[in-house]
Amino acid sequence: MSMPPDATPHARPASTTGKPPSSAARYLFVFLLGLVLGVVAVVMLLRTLEARKTWQDHYPEAAMHLLSAHSAQLRDALQANRCAPTDVLPHLQAMRMLGNDLEPAFADLRDDTRFADHAGKFRGAIDSALASPPMNCAGLKATTDAIGEDCKACHRDFRG
């Protein structure tokens, strides 16, 4: 069983011009392939370094975002003239629960007496609002102002 000479497995395909491919084209292909792989490797390395740098505790930031969201809901209720206790109490209760998390969230400030004082005043303002809930928009305005002043005082001392 003999095979025809053009069907051998080791035979090179004939090019259309009859010349073998130049080595410059091969070098260019290998260079471009190396360039693409290098760019991919650099992007992966930079993303890894960025992820390592941003890997931190999000607990303090999340607590502040939640407090901010609930206080924004109270402001929106005030602007919409929806100041009934049923509209206000859920947000005040959530803010009170988050107030319990202030010291654990900011562990580096836990032993600072000024921070403990601010956290206590914040919880105290919300406790008084929960003890006698605001029944109208004037009461809600006074409550949100008192809570906002406590927040501003703490931010003034600790956020710089």
Side-chain angles (χ1 to χ4, degrees):
M1 298 207 143
S2 68
M3 297 181 108
D6 59 335
T8 59
H10 299 295
R12 283 188 156 175
S15 65
T16 56
T17 61
K19 292 194 279 182
S22 70
S23 60
R26 281 185 256 158
Y27 287 130
L28 179 65
F29 175 74
V30 169
F31 174 75
L32 290 175
L33 181 66
L35 190 65
V36 168
L37 291 176
V39 167
V40 168
V42 166
V43 168
M44 289 173 59
L45 177 70
L46 289 175
R47 286 192 178 179
T48 301
L49 291 174
E50 181 183 352
R52 179 184 294 171
K53 185 172 44 175
T54 60
W55 191 73
Q56 60 186 358
D57 185 17
H58 295 287
Y59 186 26
E61 184 179 330
M64 288 295 108
H65 281 298
L66 285 170
L67 283 170
S68 176
H70 284 289
S71 67
Q73 291 290 327
L74 288 175
R75 280 192 309 272
D76 292 345
L78 186 62
Q79 288 176 351
N81 201 22
R82 297 195 57 167
C83 305
T86 56
D87 296 325
V88 172
L89 280 176
H91 299 293
L92 290 174
Q93 290 168 340
M95 289 175 76
R96 180 57 177 95
M97 293 298 289
L98 289 166
N100 291 338
D101 290 339
L102 290 175
E103 285 89 352
F106 296 96
D108 54 335
L109 299 174
R110 181 181 308 161
D111 296 329
D112 191 329
T113 56
R114 293 178 307 151
F115 182 75
D117 184 48
H118 287 305
K121 286 181 182 177
F122 174 77
R123 286 188 292 265
I126 295 176
D127 284 341
S128 66
L130 289 172
S132 67
M135 296 295 181
N136 55 26
C137 287
L140 179 59
K141 174 88 170 113
T143 300
T144 57
D145 287 346
I147 293 170
E149 285 302 315
D150 291 331
C151 291
K152 285 178 191 173
C154 187
H155 287 189
R156 188 173 40 250
D157 288 348
F158 293 102
R159 282 181 73 187

